[in-house]
Amino acid sequence: FLSPQLPPTTLKRNWRRRTEPQKLIIMIKTIQLIFALMATAQAFVLSPVYSKQSRFSSLLLTSSSDVAAPSISGEELETMMTEWDTPMVIDAYATWCGPCVLMAPEFEAAAENLKGKVRMVKLDTDKNEKMAARLGIQGLPTLLFLDKLEAKEGEDKPKAAAALKGKIEGAMRREVIEQLCEYYFFDGPMPDEMM
């Protein structure tokens, strides 16, 4: 590129001496550099590691009892599977995942609205890799809609404790999460966004 040590008149003279293809290459490289800097700045702003004021990171730092959708470990999830009282939604996420960061406040708001009807929990796939693999998590974020598997009359107790009602990958708004809970657990209509 251009050397910053040269005086401005020399820079102008050097620019005039360059051919059109050389000028075009310099402009393209400058634009690429600008886009790379913008992407880095955006990642810095979205990252919960750097953004201490972000709602997602504050949700991660609060204790489990303070939030409607606590973050749980794989062992805690195993225990929850044996103690069913309401349907469960698991948000499989990672702290580095941009869509997960964007969906975290939406999931928390949905958990707050559905408190008592649906148990909503979050599972950090980086900290619980084995459980994420057992659940078949392929993309992030992933919502798993689980309900208690009831034994039918005359049958033995089922081997599995839960029935997977639905598995959806991708970030969603609060309204869609709530509508999916109504659809999977309470015989509501399928959300329009999912059709």
Side-chain angles (χ1 to χ4, degrees), residues 18-170:
R18 296 190 187 272
T19 64
E20 289 304 312
Q22 288 174 327
K23 289 179 182 178
L24 185 62
I25 290 171
I26 291 172
M27 288 190 290
I28 289 172
K29 289 189 181 231
T30 304
I31 291 170
Q32 287 174 338
L33 178 65
I34 290 169
F35 278 115
L37 289 172
M38 287 171 47
T40 304
Q42 184 179 12
F44 183 82
V45 169
L46 288 178
S47 172
V49 173
Y50 299 110
S51 176
K52 291 183 180 172
Q53 300 303 316
S54 97
R55 175 136 192 223
F56 180 68
S57 60
S58 66
L59 289 176
L60 290 177
L61 297 174
T62 56
S63 71
S64 300
S65 61
D66 296 343
V67 293
S71 190
I72 60 169
S73 69
E75 293 80 27
E76 290 171 316
L77 182 59
E78 295 264 354
T79 304
M80 286 180 183
M81 294 287 196
T82 62
E83 302 168 356
W84 284 91
D85 52 348
T86 59
M88 184 185 316
V89 179
I90 302 170
D91 173 18
Y93 74 96
T95 55
W96 50 262
C97 165
C100 300
V101 172
L102 295 174
M103 191 178 82
E106 300 289 325
F107 188 76
E108 182 67 26
E112 193 67 44
N113 291 347
L114 294 169
K115 204 174 219 173
K117 287 174 68 178
V118 178
R119 181 184 237 176
M120 300 181 78
V121 296
K122 297 180 287 197
L123 181 73
D124 187 340
T125 56
D126 286 336
K127 293 180 182 175
N128 302 285
E129 291 178 15
K130 288 181 182 176
M131 181 56 76
R134 284 180 57 195
L135 294 171
I137 306 299
Q138 303 273 321
L140 296 174
T142 296
L143 292 183
L144 301 168
F145 296 85
L146 303 170
D147 207 353
K148 186 174 184 177
L149 189 58
E150 299 287 342
K152 296 179 183 172
E153 286 186 41
E155 291 183 3
D156 293 334
K157 184 179 177 185
K159 291 180 183 177
L164 180 64
K165 297 283 191 165
K167 179 179 176 181
I168 299 177
E169 293 180 2

